[in-house]
Amino acid sequence: MNLILQDKIALVTGGTSGIGLATAQELAAQGARVFITGRRQAELDAAVASIGATATGIRADAAQLSDLDAVYAQIARQAGRLDILFANAGGGDMLPLGAITEEHFDRIFSTNVRGVLFTVQKALPLLSDKASVILTGSTAAIQGTPGFSVYGASKAAVRNFARSWALDVKDRGIRINVVSPGPVQTPGLGGLVPEDQRQGLFDALAAQVPLGRLGEPGEIGKVVAFLASDAASFINAAELFVDGGMAQV
């Protein structure tokens, strides 16, 4: 079998569930040695078990700079380099204009913007030349959604990071791209509303997608694996939408 990521060293932040976990599983299946981070040890252990023998879990909060230092110190000791970085840790919840609080803003921007910035910056000494960095964006960055303005703004910032950072690291041949999912059936999506409203949310979102359904986490993982591979060697500073056409029509 031809494994497109054979012998690569990868880090997936926020790798214990949803898109992060599915991507870590895909990277491992394609031959990479995968490190994942998560904030809760039990979920981290379960994720590592589901990925397989080539996975290592590191308990860390991507918004905490001291945690990031510890993550990269461990990767340096155990692997010596990093070929693939999927800066995926993030999230958000919904509040309409008029109800947005300082805590809501700070929490979302701390993880989605500040955390992503320092996740990538602190990785630079470990990143190999021609490494691939993938950031998690969102269709919410280009579409208005009631109650989701802070989250959408944070993902718009992530998109701009890729444009500028690709120029900052061009001399090393490091590629930085964004994968922007549409609605994907993950615990994070379901957690936006009370349990008795989840199916209604899923149905409403699926109706907005030309393919008529929500995405699956594994579909995003396959795109990240592609961007991480040599098959994407001339793709840089790009945003690749994986949204079933939702934001494209």
Side-chain angles (χ1 to χ4, degrees):
M1 180 185 296
N2 182 25
L3 300 178
I4 62 173
L5 301 175
Q6 188 70 51
D7 300 324
K8 299 291 188 182
I9 308 297
L11 169 63
V12 176
T13 64
T16 59
S17 68
I19 290 171
L21 176 57
T23 298
Q25 291 169 333
E26 181 66 24
L27 296 177
Q30 293 297 338
R33 179 181 178 185
V34 182
F35 293 85
I36 65 168
T37 68
R39 293 180 295 176
R40 291 172 286 274
Q41 191 65 48
E43 292 181 12
L44 192 61
D45 293 342
V48 168
S50 75
I51 297 165
T54 61
T56 300
I58 307 173
R59 186 173 179 178
D61 181 343
Q64 298 297 320
L65 272 59
S66 59
D67 284 9
L68 292 173
D69 288 335
V71 168
Y72 290 125
Q74 181 170 338
I75 294 173
R77 289 193 306 269
Q78 296 183 354
R81 72 176 196 279
L82 195 57
D83 305 305
I84 300 161
L85 171 58
F86 182 35
N88 168 71
D93 45 54
M94 304 180 81
L95 283 176
L97 183 63
I100 294 168
T101 64
E102 185 177 7
E103 184 277 333
H104 174 80
F105 178 90
D106 288 347
R107 173 168 42 80
I108 292 174
F109 266 70
S110 178
T111 302
N112 293 4
V113 181
R114 182 177 183 269
V116 168
L117 189 165
F118 288 106
T119 293
V120 177
Q121 179 170 287
K122 288 178 176 292
L124 289 175
L126 269 181
L127 287 173
S128 56
D129 289 349
K130 299 184 180 179
S132 177
V133 176
I134 302 103
L135 314 178
T136 298
S138 173
T139 54
I142 65 166
Q143 287 187 307
T145 304
F148 225 28
S149 62
V150 175
Y151 176 83
S154 74
K155 291 302 184 176
V158 168
R159 173 64 183 108
N160 197 269
F161 278 162
R163 289 187 170 103
S164 298
W165 292 347
L167 299 175
D168 290 338
V169 298
K170 65 180 182 180
D171 292 342
R172 295 181 57 192
I174 296 172
R175 297 181 294 109
I176 301 181
N177 292 293
V178 179
V179 59
S180 287
V184 177
Q185 193 154 339
T186 64
L189 182 64
L192 291 174
V193 296
E195 187 172 358
D196 62 351
Q197 299 177 24
R198 285 176 190 169
Q199 192 57 54
L201 173 66
F202 293 162
D203 292 345
L205 290 171
Q208 299 176 45
V209 178
L211 287 179
R213 63 175 177 85
L214 300 183
E216 295 294 334
E219 293 177 301
I220 314 303
K222 290 181 185 301
V223 175
V224 175
F226 164 69
L227 288 173
S229 75
D230 290 341
S233 58
F234 203 53
I235 300 177
N236 192 26
E239 182 175 20
L240 188 53
F241 288 94
V242 191
D243 64 351
M246 181 178 178
Q248 315 309 315
V249 297

